[in-house]
Amino acid sequence: MSTEVLTPEAKPAEPLFSKKNRALITDPLNDNNPITVQVLGICSALAITVKMSNALVMSISVLAVVVVGNVIISSLRNVIPSRIRIIAQLVIAAGLVTLVDIMLKAYVYDVAKQVGVYVGLIITNCILMGRYEAFAMGNKPWPSALDGLGNSLGYAWILLVVAFFREIFGSGAVMGMRVIPESWYSVNGGFYFNNNMMILPPMALVIVGIIIWIQRARNTKLIEAA
Amino acid sequence: MNLVNIFVKAVFIENMIFAYFLGMCSYLAVSKTVKTAVGLGAAVIFVLGVTVPVNYLLENYVLKAGALSWMGAGFADVDLSFLSFIMFIAVVAAIVQLVEMIVEKFAPALYGALGIFLPLIAVNCSILGGALFMQERQYSNIAEATSFALGSGVGWFLAIAAIAAIREKLRYSDIPAPLRGLGITFILTGLMGMAFMAFMGIKI
């Protein structure tokens, strides 16, 4: 706390959305995406993307936990002893996730049932620990909030893209609304079958692999050295 | 027989990686060479085998609705299950620290092999996932829960050892540049997952 009192006032206050702060939000959307570049938070990204509505609920939950957690940890960063910081971070994360879990059960019970254990697993979602440890422990609350926001948005768009493809090919719907008409299906005399492979776990991995492929083909500085 | 069945099911059919994607972060990050992958896999089997039974006891004697009735009739309708996330993660973090200290003291050679991986394991989703699945599936006794934990650990071990072996060989193949590294690992894991789906329906 004392360090903040000593900061000279001559330094002009940084505007809330300075260039540096804007980069905190935009970088994780592409160049530094938590899923495809930092490889964080894969478990939940793959497991709950069978339907877009589940992916949306999961994204919002992660967004809430990362942003609020980042702010809390960044305000406590001078108080938390560095030796027990992992446990302190885990406890804060677990507390927030418990709140989210109770809220989900109260307001969207059906989705909460389907998302199941993966809400609990937000605690060990690497995005959380990664951002808490790498950013919030060394930065002020406001940039930390933006960093949390940027990273969870980067996480959310990958989740939604994967879920979009899995839902449209796997069950012929988007956000639970039917896009492929019933009359096309072979049971009704049509020619169309749902691709059941899309609902199964392996295709989620393949779709993420293809997203990474496309992203790196467009953004060549992300290509890994051979 | 039931124990064997739970074990086989956890290894092959409900594999932590291929069916539930748990512990993917370390699976992708530490699978570059077989040696380190085997070290981490062994550590995961060990930690799962210790934490799940402990969490089972915690769940059934403290947290579950009515679990506290052994303390007296007044506690019979206490339901602490909303605390389960915090308790499970605290137990996992504490046990990992404890295991690290014990291994360092009594088995320095093993510590040398596992040392750097042990602290990482506290935030490996498969460990907390093991505890949460144990809670969800309500195993009837502690032996079943342990069998499930060991099976999940072995399944995770198999997956990471296999992908590491493939990635070692991949170095000699000509992969399109944007797909190199992460991308091809994802697609390979998907293909391995499809192969593992052939085990579906096995019963002993």
Side-chain angles (χ1 to χ4, degrees):
Chain A
M1 284 300 122
S2 58
T3 52
E4 262 155 282
V5 180
L6 290 176
T7 328
E9 251 125 274
K11 203 167 139 201
E14 207 180 348
L16 281 186
F17 285 99
S18 64
K19 202 169 169 211
K20 205 171 94 217
N21 283 351
R22 259 181 288 139
L24 288 177
I25 294 192
T26 52
D27 266 0
L29 294 183
N30 184 10
D31 285 358
N32 199 15
N33 189 284
I35 293 187
T36 61
V37 181
Q38 303 174 44
V39 209
L40 299 176
I42 311 283
C43 332
S44 53
L46 300 166
I48 43 88
T49 48
V50 175
K51 281 192 192 155
M52 272 187 96
S53 50
N54 293 0
L56 195 65
V57 169
M58 190 69 179
S59 306
I60 294 171
S61 315
V62 168
L63 191 131
V65 176
V66 175
V67 173
V68 177
N70 255 356
V71 170
I72 294 179
I73 286 180
S74 139
S75 350
L76 292 178
R77 69 185 186 279
N78 297 323
V79 187
I80 300 175
S82 72
R83 294 196 61 149
I84 58 157
R85 66 182 192 286
I86 302 265
I87 296 182
Q89 289 163 3
L90 280 174
V91 169
I92 292 173
L96 290 170
V97 169
T98 308
L99 285 181
V100 167
D101 186 48
I102 294 172
M103 299 265 273
L104 286 183
K105 280 188 182 137
Y107 293 108
V108 280
Y109 189 73
D110 296 341
V111 179
K113 267 275 168 250
Q114 287 174 26
V115 178
V117 294
Y118 292 98
V119 173
L121 287 171
I122 297 179
I123 300 170
T124 46
N125 188 319
C126 328
I127 293 188
L128 239 70
M129 298 307 291
R131 293 335 290 172
Y132 289 177
E133 177 76 17
F135 201 91
M137 284 303 283
N139 286 282
K140 289 198 179 138
W142 174 246
S144 304
L146 292 180
D147 178 77
L149 188 65
N151 275 286
S152 29
L153 289 178
Y155 171 83
W157 84 257
I158 300 275
L159 232 71
L160 289 174
V161 168
V162 175
F164 174 77
F165 284 109
R166 286 183 79 184
E167 193 175 2
I168 197 166
F169 290 118
S171 21
V174 173
M175 287 297 280
M177 282 183 301
R178 188 137 290 285
V179 241
I180 293 169
E182 293 282 355
S183 57
W184 286 13
Y185 283 95
S186 57
V187 282
N188 300 329
F191 58 91
Y192 189 81
F193 290 95
N194 276 332
N195 185 348
N196 284 332
M197 202 72 204
M198 280 290 177
I199 302 179
L200 298 172
M203 278 315 282
L205 290 159
V206 176
I207 294 176
V208 175
I210 292 171
I211 292 178
I212 292 173
W213 189 358
I214 296 172
Q215 190 194 16
R216 293 192 181 182
R218 293 164 56 98
N219 195 344
T220 43
K221 64 176 181 286
L222 296 178
I223 291 177
E224 286 172 41
Chain B
M1 220 57 212
N2 196 19
L3 294 182
V4 180
N5 203 8
I6 290 177
F7 182 83
V8 170
K9 207 168 153 198
V11 175
F12 293 109
I13 304 166
E14 291 170 345
N15 187 290
M16 278 280 184
I17 295 275
F18 298 127
Y20 296 114
F21 313 106
L22 295 184
M24 281 301 269
C25 306
S26 25
Y27 168 85
L28 293 167
V30 193
S31 62
K32 289 196 177 102
T33 56
V34 174
K35 204 170 162 238
T36 49
V38 167
L40 182 65
V44 166
I45 299 183
F46 189 64
V47 174
L48 262 177
V50 177
T51 54
V52 171
V54 173
N55 277 330
Y56 181 86
L57 294 177
L58 190 70
E59 159 82 4
N60 281 283
Y61 292 102
V62 181
L63 295 175
K64 213 159 70 175
L68 277 174
S69 51
W70 56 269
M71 278 175 66
F75 292 93
D77 52 356
V78 177
D79 180 2
L80 292 177
S81 53
F82 66 93
L83 279 178
S84 52
F85 293 158
I86 294 184
M87 293 307 285
F88 286 169
I89 197 70
V91 165
V92 168
I95 287 183
V96 167
Q97 291 262 308
L98 208 66
V99 164
E100 195 185 345
M101 285 191 264
I102 292 172
V103 170
E104 189 180 11
K105 177 92 177 135
F106 294 106
L110 185 65
Y111 183 77
L114 299 183
I116 47 165
F117 299 120
L118 279 173
L120 277 179
I121 285 181
V123 287
N124 185 322
C125 338
S126 61
I127 309 293
L128 184 64
L132 293 175
F133 277 127
M134 175 275 297
Q135 183 190 32
E136 194 185 75
R137 292 180 191 159
Q138 305 191 331
Y139 289 107
S140 56
N141 57 45
I142 192 165
E144 284 186 9
T146 315
S147 161
F148 157 75
L150 291 176
S152 309
V154 171
W156 203 89
F157 174 90
L158 265 185
I160 194 169
I163 193 79
I166 295 177
R167 285 182 81 173
E168 278 195 353
K169 295 287 173 209
L170 269 187
R171 255 177 247 148
Y172 307 109
S173 43
D174 186 20
I175 304 162
L179 203 52
R180 237 181 260 147
L182 194 59
I184 194 71
T185 313
F186 267 103
I187 293 181
L188 277 174
T189 310
L191 295 177
M192 285 162 72
M194 287 181 205
F196 261 69
M197 283 171 55
F199 290 114
M200 218 176 259
I202 284 186
K203 238 180 141 76
I204 292 180

